[in-house]
Amino acid sequence: MGKSQKKKVMRRHNPMRVPDSHLPKGLASASKSSSRSNEILPIIQKLESADGAERKWACVAVSNLIQNDPSTRRLLQGKNVVGALITRLTDSEEEVVVEAVGALRNLCIDGGYDICAEMYNKSILTPLKTFIPKISNTLSQFLAEPKNSPDSARRIVYDFADNVITTLWCLSETSNKALNAINEIHLVPFLMSFLAARDKLPLATVTAAAQCLYVLTDDNHPSITDVRTDGSYISCLLSIAHQEDIGTPEKKDDPKSVTLAVLAAGTIRNVLPIPPPSAASFLDIDKDVVLPLLLPVISSISLPDTSNAVQQLIQRQASEPQMENLSLNHAPKSDHKTAIEVELELLESKLRTVQLALEILTGTCATLPDPEPDLPVNQEDEDDEGACFILITIELMLIVWCLEIDAGDNVDVDMNTEPETTVTESSSLSFLTSLVSPLLALVQPTALSFPPLASPSIHPPTTSALSAVHISALECLNNVFLSLTASPNPAISSDVNSGLTVWNGIWSALSLVGTQTGLGQERRQEMWEVAAGVLWGIGRVWKGNLIPDGEQVNVLIHQCNAADDPRLQVKCIGTLECLAQAPSAVEANQVISNYLLSLLPNPNSPSTIATEPMIQAASALIDIYSDETLPYDTNFRQGNYLEKLAACLQPIKNTVKTIDRRKEGGKELRRRGDEVCENLGDFIQYRRDLRL
């Protein structure tokens, strides 16, 4: 069971804001499902108009029409709106260029990877690169002579910069090909200039720069190196992470200031280890910066309250007069938003900040650091020490949390005490006890999290953000319990009540998620995929103490049978294995073991599942029946499992031999398969020697 790794090929910080996978493919279907299809042709025509005012109007119209409307977005995309807007980036009219960038930015955010890939393939980077020095020069003039620049002019440039940066951020997540092209631009100095002048610039623009920097430094060594080699960059990021020098009191109270701090902390973590002589190289970034900042963030929001607030706002919006159809004479401004729309975006922004914090915490809670290809040996040693600290931290955190569940004690904090692994001395890190409970709360779906296909979401951006928060919280929990399985702690595993609290909390969430599949239900399936890993981790920590529930066992079996992903099947089998080892659960043990046996190949039929889960099933049966003194061992004897396993041994070996070592992960899977075959042979001989 591996930790939650960052995806290397398809980057994932910015999931599609308005999901459209539930919509049928094709232009005809998009035209039928869009209520604005009659307005598309005039827009496309006016994008090519000789009149600059009409071209500007068309760009603004695109931004307005795609808002929360995936059908219209698809229809526009089918009419080559992306290519038309990219052409407008070299328009002779500056206002048209400004509006075209804004429309492309909105398409990036709402449309996700497909549209970003189309933009990259249509060479959007060529005009975008020319904007960067122009923005830098203009901002330098504004900062040098602020009184000589009208507010309206500054606002246009700030918005323009925000749109360009956000588009580059989205493009960098499209593919490694796009990322490599963006690396050649060397954006780090440009982005850091916004962060350095944060007290003089709009918070939204600075936050966009911080978001782009965070993404570019995620497992991307050119940008990591650019940040590491300038000590002033590190100092600036640390200052922001500590929420210093944000600017006016209004800025400090703005929720974006929290987002900015979280992004700075995430960027610092991305570029670890920080080389001397920077003062930050002597800090424990996770302990001193990341955890103290992020734990309050994930505890600061109530998902049910947010969901209810969105529903109330949508009801109010439905009762208010709608904006009239677009007309050339009364074109709305591209930044025109009603008060309700502003409130909805604020709530979505808070959800995205929590998601971001969870994403960073997931890395913090990982057992081992991601490998760095160019690290000197001493830096690798420093990373190992950091990983050890996180592992001990998680153990202590769970210990204190367990104590609070059982006794309701409030543990005093002594920040000067060295961390130890005993319960009595765990108070030195009791400031971390707030992690598990808020994670469990963030896992629980709301009414807007996973709407059924027959009833689409009343506000897709909120639904997308909520489901992303749930999945991110599960990924964090996955790494928490993986860390605990890597270093078992008797103080935690002996507290069965705490284990049941977490176990029941996950199942409570899954019961609300349901098992609906099909188009538009991809996030439900992703929820199950991550949750299965969490269940397996909990099962391993409290193995033998979780009494199987018949319905839960059936759901796990169903998920394993229905899954197309071998990794999900492995997780389900691993969880079933842990449940089968509850000594008193004789009946459940029989159900699980019979199912696992059915997954193995035999002389008469091949395995019904992929090779990796088949190997896991064989390994599970060995572990379940390795102790013949347990009450459920009667199932092994009465079910004639010994002879059934003996008959499966050679077919399993034959299947393992077919593993292609040249494929990704093939070498490791073959090694694992050979090991299980050898263990199974020894296990069969051991059981025969017992003569039971």
Coordinates of all heavy atoms in Angstrom, one line a residue, residues 238-302:
L238 N 8.8 33.1 3.5 CA 8.6 32.8 5.0 C 7.8 33.9 5.6 O 7.0 33.7 6.5 CB 10.0 32.7 5.6 CG 10.6 31.3 5.7 CD1 12.0 31.4 6.3 CD2 9.7 30.4 6.5
S239 N 8.1 35.2 5.2 CA 7.3 36.3 5.8 C 5.9 36.2 5.5 O 5.0 36.4 6.3 CB 7.9 37.6 5.2 OG 7.2 38.7 5.7
I240 N 5.5 35.8 4.3 CA 4.1 35.6 3.9 C 3.5 34.5 4.6 O 2.4 34.6 5.1 CB 4.0 35.4 2.4 CG1 4.5 36.6 1.6 CG2 2.6 35.1 2.0 CD1 4.6 36.4 0.1
A241 N 4.2 33.4 4.8 CA 3.7 32.2 5.5 C 3.4 32.5 7.0 O 2.5 32.0 7.6 CB 4.7 31.0 5.4
H242 N 4.2 33.5 7.5 CA 4.0 33.9 8.9 C 3.0 35.1 8.9 O 2.7 35.7 10.0 CB 5.3 34.4 9.5 CG 6.2 33.3 9.9 ND1 5.8 32.2 10.6 CD2 7.5 33.0 9.5 CE1 6.9 31.4 10.8 NE2 7.9 31.8 10.1
Q243 N 2.4 35.4 7.7 CA 1.3 36.4 7.6 C 1.8 37.8 8.1 O 1.1 38.5 8.8 CB 0.1 36.0 8.3 CG -0.5 34.7 7.7 CD -1.8 34.2 8.4 OE1 -1.8 33.8 9.6 NE2 -2.9 34.4 7.8
E244 N 3.0 38.1 7.6 CA 3.6 39.4 7.9 C 3.6 40.3 6.7 O 3.6 39.8 5.6 CB 5.1 39.2 8.3 CG 5.3 38.4 9.6 CD 6.7 38.0 9.8 OE1 7.6 38.3 9.0 OE2 7.0 37.4 10.9
D245 N 3.5 41.6 6.9 CA 3.6 42.6 5.8 C 2.6 42.3 4.7 O 2.9 42.4 3.5 CB 5.0 42.6 5.2 CG 6.0 42.9 6.3 OD1 5.7 43.7 7.2 OD2 7.1 42.4 6.2
I246 N 1.3 41.9 5.1 CA 0.3 41.7 4.0 C -0.1 43.1 3.5 O -0.5 43.2 2.3 CB -0.9 41.0 4.6 CG1 -0.5 39.6 5.1 CG2 -2.0 40.8 3.6 CD1 0.1 38.7 4.1
G247 N -0.1 44.1 4.3 CA -0.6 45.4 3.8 C -1.6 46.0 4.8 O -1.4 46.0 6.0
T248 N -2.6 46.6 4.2 CA -3.6 47.3 5.0 C -4.4 46.3 5.9 O -4.5 45.1 5.6 CB -4.6 48.0 4.0 OG1 -5.3 47.1 3.2 CG2 -3.8 49.0 3.1
P249 N -5.1 46.8 6.9 CA -5.9 46.0 7.7 C -7.0 45.3 6.9 O -7.4 44.1 7.2 CB -6.5 47.0 8.7 CG -5.6 48.1 8.8 CD -5.0 48.2 7.5
E250 N -7.5 45.9 5.9 CA -8.5 45.3 5.0 C -8.0 44.1 4.3 O -8.6 43.0 4.2 CB -9.0 46.3 4.0 CG -9.9 47.4 4.5 CD -9.0 48.5 5.2 OE1 -7.8 48.5 5.0 OE2 -9.6 49.4 5.9
K251 N -6.7 44.2 3.9 CA -6.1 43.0 3.3 C -5.9 41.9 4.3 O -6.1 40.7 3.9 CB -4.7 43.4 2.7 CG -4.8 44.1 1.4 CD -3.4 44.3 0.8 CE -3.4 45.0 -0.6 NZ -2.1 45.2 -1.2
K252 N -5.5 42.2 5.5 CA -5.3 41.2 6.5 C -6.5 40.4 6.8 O -6.5 39.2 7.1 CB -4.6 41.8 7.7 CG -3.2 42.3 7.5 CD -2.7 42.9 8.8 CE -1.2 43.5 8.6 NZ -0.7 44.1 9.8
D253 N -7.7 41.1 6.7 CA -8.9 40.5 7.0 C -9.5 39.7 5.8 O -10.5 39.0 6.0 CB -10.0 41.5 7.5 CG -9.5 42.1 8.9 OD1 -8.8 41.5 9.6 OD2 -9.9 43.3 9.2
D254 N -9.0 40.0 4.7 CA -9.5 39.3 3.4 C -9.1 37.8 3.5 O -8.0 37.5 3.8 CB -8.8 40.0 2.2 CG -9.5 39.6 0.9 OD1 -9.8 38.4 0.8 OD2 -9.6 40.4 0.1
P255 N -10.1 37.0 3.2 CA -9.8 35.5 3.2 C -8.6 35.1 2.3 O -8.0 34.1 2.5 CB -11.1 34.9 2.7 CG -12.2 35.9 3.1 CD -11.5 37.2 3.0
K256 N -8.4 36.0 1.2 CA -7.3 35.7 0.3 C -6.0 35.7 1.0 O -5.0 35.1 0.5 CB -7.4 36.6 -0.9 CG -8.5 36.4 -1.9 CD -8.3 37.2 -3.1 CE -9.4 37.1 -4.1 NZ -10.7 37.6 -3.7
S257 N -5.9 36.5 2.1 CA -4.6 36.6 2.8 C -4.2 35.2 3.4 O -3.1 34.9 3.5 CB -4.7 37.7 3.9 OG -5.6 37.3 4.9
V258 N -5.2 34.5 3.8 CA -5.0 33.1 4.3 C -4.5 32.2 3.2 O -3.6 31.4 3.3 CB -6.2 32.5 5.0 CG1 -6.0 31.1 5.4 CG2 -6.7 33.4 6.2
T259 N -5.2 32.3 2.0 CA -4.8 31.5 0.9 C -3.4 31.9 0.5 O -2.6 30.9 0.2 CB -5.7 31.9 -0.3 OG1 -7.1 31.7 0.1 CG2 -5.4 31.0 -1.5
L260 N -3.0 33.1 0.5 CA -1.7 33.5 0.2 C -0.7 32.9 1.1 O 0.4 32.4 0.7 CB -1.6 35.1 0.2 CG -0.2 35.7 -0.1 CD1 0.2 35.3 -1.6 CD2 -0.3 37.2 0.0
A261 N -0.9 32.9 2.4 CA 0.0 32.3 3.4 C 0.1 30.8 3.2 O 1.2 30.3 3.2 CB -0.5 32.6 4.8
V262 N -1.0 30.2 2.9 CA -1.0 28.7 2.6 C -0.1 28.4 1.4 O 0.7 27.5 1.4 CB -2.4 28.2 2.5 CG1 -2.4 26.7 2.0 CG2 -3.1 28.3 3.8
L263 N -0.3 29.2 0.3 CA 0.5 29.0 -0.9 C 2.0 29.2 -0.6 O 2.8 28.4 -1.2 CB 0.0 29.9 -2.0 CG -1.4 29.6 -2.6 CD1 -1.9 30.8 -3.4 CD2 -1.3 28.4 -3.5
A264 N 2.3 30.2 0.2 CA 3.7 30.4 0.5 C 4.3 29.3 1.2 O 5.4 28.8 1.0 CB 3.8 31.7 1.3
A265 N 3.6 28.8 2.2 CA 4.0 27.6 3.0 C 4.2 26.4 2.1 O 5.2 25.7 2.2 CB 3.1 27.3 4.1
G266 N 3.2 26.2 1.2 CA 3.3 25.1 0.3 C 4.5 25.2 -0.7 O 5.2 24.2 -1.0
T267 N 4.8 26.4 -1.1 CA 6.0 26.6 -2.0 C 7.3 26.4 -1.2 O 8.2 25.7 -1.8 CB 5.9 28.1 -2.5 OG1 4.7 28.3 -3.2 CG2 7.1 28.3 -3.5
I268 N 7.3 26.8 0.0 CA 8.6 26.6 0.8 C 8.8 25.1 0.9 O 9.9 24.6 0.8 CB 8.5 27.2 2.2 CG1 8.4 28.8 2.0 CG2 9.6 26.8 3.1 CD1 8.1 29.5 3.3
R269 N 7.7 24.4 1.2 CA 7.8 22.9 1.3 C 8.2 22.3 0.0 O 8.9 21.3 0.0 CB 6.5 22.3 1.8 CG 6.7 21.0 2.4 CD 5.4 20.4 3.1 NE 5.8 19.3 3.9 CZ 6.1 18.1 3.3 NH1 6.0 17.9 2.0 NH2 6.5 17.1 4.0
N270 N 7.7 22.8 -1.1 CA 8.1 22.3 -2.4 C 9.6 22.3 -2.7 O 10.1 21.5 -3.4 CB 7.3 23.0 -3.5 CG 5.9 22.6 -3.6 OD1 5.4 21.6 -3.1 ND2 5.1 23.4 -4.4
V271 N 10.2 23.4 -2.2 CA 11.6 23.6 -2.5 C 12.6 23.1 -1.5 O 13.8 23.3 -1.6 CB 11.9 25.1 -2.8 CG1 11.0 25.7 -3.8 CG2 11.8 25.9 -1.5
L272 N 12.1 22.4 -0.5 CA 13.0 21.8 0.5 C 13.9 20.8 -0.2 O 13.5 20.1 -1.1 CB 12.2 21.1 1.6 CG 11.3 22.0 2.5 CD1 10.6 21.1 3.5 CD2 12.3 22.9 3.3
P273 N 15.1 20.6 0.3 CA 15.7 21.3 1.4 C 16.3 22.7 1.0 O 16.7 22.8 -0.1 CB 16.9 20.4 1.9 CG 17.3 19.7 0.6 CD 16.0 19.5 -0.2
I274 N 16.2 23.7 1.9 CA 16.7 25.0 1.6 C 18.2 25.1 2.0 O 18.6 24.8 3.1 CB 15.9 26.0 2.4 CG1 14.4 26.0 2.0 CG2 16.5 27.4 2.2 CD1 13.5 26.8 3.0
P275 N 19.0 25.5 1.0 CA 20.4 25.5 1.3 C 20.9 26.6 2.1 O 20.3 27.7 2.1 CB 21.0 25.6 -0.2 CG 20.0 26.3 -0.9 CD 18.7 25.9 -0.4
P276 N 22.0 26.4 2.9 CA 22.5 27.6 3.6 C 23.1 28.6 2.6 O 23.3 28.2 1.4 CB 23.7 26.9 4.4 CG 23.4 25.5 4.4 CD 22.6 25.2 3.1
P277 N 23.3 29.8 3.0 CA 23.2 30.4 4.3 C 21.9 30.9 4.7 O 21.8 31.7 5.7 CB 24.2 31.5 4.2 CG 24.1 32.0 2.8 CD 23.8 30.8 2.0
S278 N 20.8 30.6 4.0 CA 19.5 31.1 4.4 C 19.1 30.7 5.8 O 19.4 29.5 6.2 CB 18.4 30.5 3.4 OG 17.1 30.8 3.8
A279 N 18.5 31.6 6.5 CA 18.1 31.3 7.9 C 17.1 30.2 7.9 O 17.0 29.4 8.9 CB 17.6 32.5 8.6
A280 N 16.3 30.0 6.8 CA 15.3 29.0 6.8 C 15.9 27.6 6.7 O 15.2 26.6 7.0 CB 14.4 29.2 5.5
S281 N 17.2 27.5 6.4 CA 17.8 26.2 6.3 C 17.9 25.6 7.7 O 18.1 24.3 7.8 CB 19.1 26.2 5.6 OG 20.0 27.1 6.4
F282 N 17.8 26.4 8.7 CA 17.9 25.9 10.1 C 16.6 25.6 10.7 O 16.5 25.2 11.9 CB 18.7 26.9 10.9 CG 20.1 27.1 10.4 CD1 20.4 28.3 9.7 CD2 21.1 26.2 10.6 CE1 21.6 28.6 9.2 CE2 22.4 26.4 10.1 CZ 22.7 27.6 9.4
L283 N 15.5 25.9 10.0 CA 14.2 25.7 10.5 C 13.7 24.3 10.2 O 14.0 23.7 9.1 CB 13.2 26.7 10.0 CG 13.3 28.2 10.4 CD1 12.3 29.0 9.6 CD2 13.1 28.3 11.9
D284 N 12.8 23.7 11.0 CA 12.1 22.6 10.7 C 10.8 23.1 10.1 O 9.8 23.5 10.8 CB 11.8 21.7 11.9 CG 11.1 20.4 11.5 OD1 10.3 20.4 10.6 OD2 11.5 19.3 12.1
I285 N 10.7 23.1 8.7 CA 9.6 23.8 8.0 C 8.3 23.2 8.4 O 7.3 23.9 8.6 CB 9.8 23.8 6.5 CG1 11.1 24.6 6.2 CG2 8.6 24.3 5.8 CD1 11.1 26.0 6.5
D286 N 8.2 21.9 8.4 CA 6.9 21.3 8.8 C 6.5 21.6 10.2 O 5.3 22.0 10.4 CB 7.0 19.7 8.6 CG 6.9 19.3 7.2 OD1 6.2 19.9 6.4 OD2 7.6 18.3 6.8
K287 N 7.4 21.5 11.1 CA 7.0 21.8 12.5 C 6.8 23.2 12.8 O 5.9 23.6 13.6 CB 8.2 21.2 13.4 CG 8.0 21.4 14.9 CD 9.1 20.9 15.7 CE 9.0 21.3 17.2 NZ 10.2 20.8 18.0
D288 N 7.7 24.1 12.3 CA 7.7 25.5 12.7 C 6.8 26.4 11.8 O 6.4 27.4 12.2 CB 9.1 26.1 12.6 CG 10.0 25.4 13.6 OD1 9.5 24.9 14.6 OD2 11.2 25.3 13.3
V289 N 6.5 25.9 10.5 CA 5.8 26.8 9.6 C 4.5 26.1 9.1 O 3.4 26.6 9.3 CB 6.6 27.1 8.4 CG1 5.9 28.0 7.4 CG2 7.9 27.8 8.8
V290 N 4.6 24.9 8.6 CA 3.5 24.3 7.8 C 2.4 23.9 8.8 O 1.2 24.3 8.6 CB 4.0 23.1 7.0 CG1 2.8 22.4 6.4 CG2 4.9 23.5 5.9
L291 N 2.7 23.1 9.8 CA 1.6 22.6 10.7 C 0.9 23.7 11.5 O -0.3 23.7 11.5 CB 2.2 21.5 11.6 CG 2.5 20.2 10.9 CD1 3.3 19.3 11.8 CD2 1.3 19.5 10.3
P292 N 1.6 24.6 12.1 CA 0.9 25.6 12.9 C 0.0 26.5 12.0 O -1.0 27.0 12.5 CB 2.1 26.5 13.4 CG 3.3 25.5 13.5 CD 3.1 24.7 12.3
L293 N 0.4 26.7 10.7 CA -0.5 27.5 9.8 C -1.7 26.7 9.3 O -2.8 27.2 9.3 CB 0.4 28.0 8.6 CG -0.4 28.6 7.5 CD1 -1.0 30.0 8.0 CD2 0.5 28.9 6.3
L294 N -1.4 25.4 8.9 CA -2.5 24.7 8.2 C -3.5 24.1 9.1 O -4.7 23.9 8.7 CB -1.8 23.6 7.3 CG -0.9 24.1 6.2 CD1 -0.5 23.0 5.3 CD2 -1.5 25.3 5.4
L295 N -3.2 23.6 10.2 CA -4.1 23.0 11.1 C -5.3 23.9 11.4 O -6.5 23.4 11.4 CB -3.5 22.4 12.4 CG -2.5 21.3 12.2 CD1 -1.8 20.9 13.5 CD2 -3.2 20.1 11.5
P296 N -5.1 25.1 11.8 CA -6.3 26.0 12.0 C -7.1 26.2 10.7 O -8.3 26.4 10.8 CB -5.6 27.3 12.5 CG -4.3 27.0 13.0 CD -3.8 25.8 12.1
V297 N -6.4 26.2 9.6 CA -7.2 26.4 8.3 C -8.2 25.3 8.1 O -9.3 25.5 7.7 CB -6.2 26.5 7.1 CG1 -7.0 26.5 5.8 CG2 -5.4 27.7 7.2
I298 N -7.7 24.0 8.3 CA -8.6 22.9 8.0 C -9.7 22.8 9.1 O -10.7 22.1 8.9 CB -7.9 21.6 7.8 CG1 -7.3 21.1 9.2 CG2 -6.9 21.7 6.8 CD1 -6.7 19.7 9.1
S299 N -9.5 23.4 10.2 CA -10.5 23.4 11.3 C -11.5 24.6 11.2 O -12.4 24.7 12.0 CB -9.8 23.4 12.7 OG -8.9 22.3 12.8
S300 N -11.2 25.5 10.3 CA -11.9 26.8 10.3 C -13.2 26.8 9.5 O -13.9 27.8 9.6 CB -11.0 27.8 9.7 OG -10.8 27.5 8.3
I301 N -13.6 25.7 8.9 CA -14.7 25.7 8.0 C -15.7 24.5 8.4 O -15.3 23.5 8.8 CB -14.3 25.6 6.5 CG1 -15.5 25.9 5.6 CG2 -13.8 24.2 6.2 CD1 -15.0 26.1 4.2
S302 N -17.0 24.8 8.3 CA -18.0 23.8 8.4 C -18.6 23.5 7.1 O -19.2 24.4 6.5 CB -19.1 24.3 9.4 OG -20.2 23.4 9.3

